[in-house]
Amino acid sequence: MLMNGFDLGVIPLLMLAMRVLAVVAFVFALVAREDAYRAAEKQSKTFWLVLLGVTVAVGFVPGMMFLQIAGLVATIVFFVDVRPALRQVSGGGGRRGGGSSSDGPYGPYNGGR
């Protein structure tokens, strides 16, 4: 009874989450510039598009759990390693405006001193 509920409720939600993450990673890889991959010293844009595209495609094929888990690992690597490097190289990293966290709209906030 418990396994039946797990198989019908939790597993499909996890599979859906894996598919959504793979699609989002694919879109991020698609939007990034080709030269940003070279500047960040990562694999090429084509490599990541093929890898994440296969991950998205395999996510819709039932019974390929091993490839789905391998695709999940590739998606996690993209989000944890590649995307932050691309953002840093492209100038999209950090806060906007280049200020510190204590800066207000008119300059640094010093606590009334």
Side-chain angles (χ1 to χ4, degrees):
M1 172 94 168
L2 181 62
M3 283 302 290
N4 190 21
F6 191 75
D7 288 340
L8 295 177
V10 175
I11 298 292
L13 286 176
L14 288 174
M15 299 306 285
L16 177 65
M18 286 171 50
R19 284 187 209 123
V20 168
L21 276 174
V23 169
V24 170
F26 182 80
V27 169
F28 281 144
L30 187 64
V31 172
R33 297 185 341 239
E34 174 69 36
D35 60 336
Y37 288 88
R38 287 190 304 270
E41 298 180 352
K42 301 297 176 189
Q43 293 289 334
S44 69
K45 180 176 184 173
T46 305
F47 172 84
W48 282 105
L49 287 177
V50 168
L51 187 64
L52 295 170
V54 168
T55 299
V56 169
V58 167
F60 291 103
V61 179
M64 301 192 88
M65 185 61 78
F66 177 74
L67 290 176
Q68 290 171 347
I69 291 173
L72 178 64
V73 169
T75 303
I76 291 170
V77 167
F78 181 82
F79 275 121
V80 171
D81 183 42
V82 177
R83 184 165 181 255
L86 294 176
R87 287 182 66 194
Q88 185 177 14
V89 168
S90 298
R95 295 176 42 121
R96 292 186 181 170
S100 73
S101 63
S102 64
D103 283 356
Y106 306 108
Y109 177 72
N110 61 7
R113 290 181 245 151

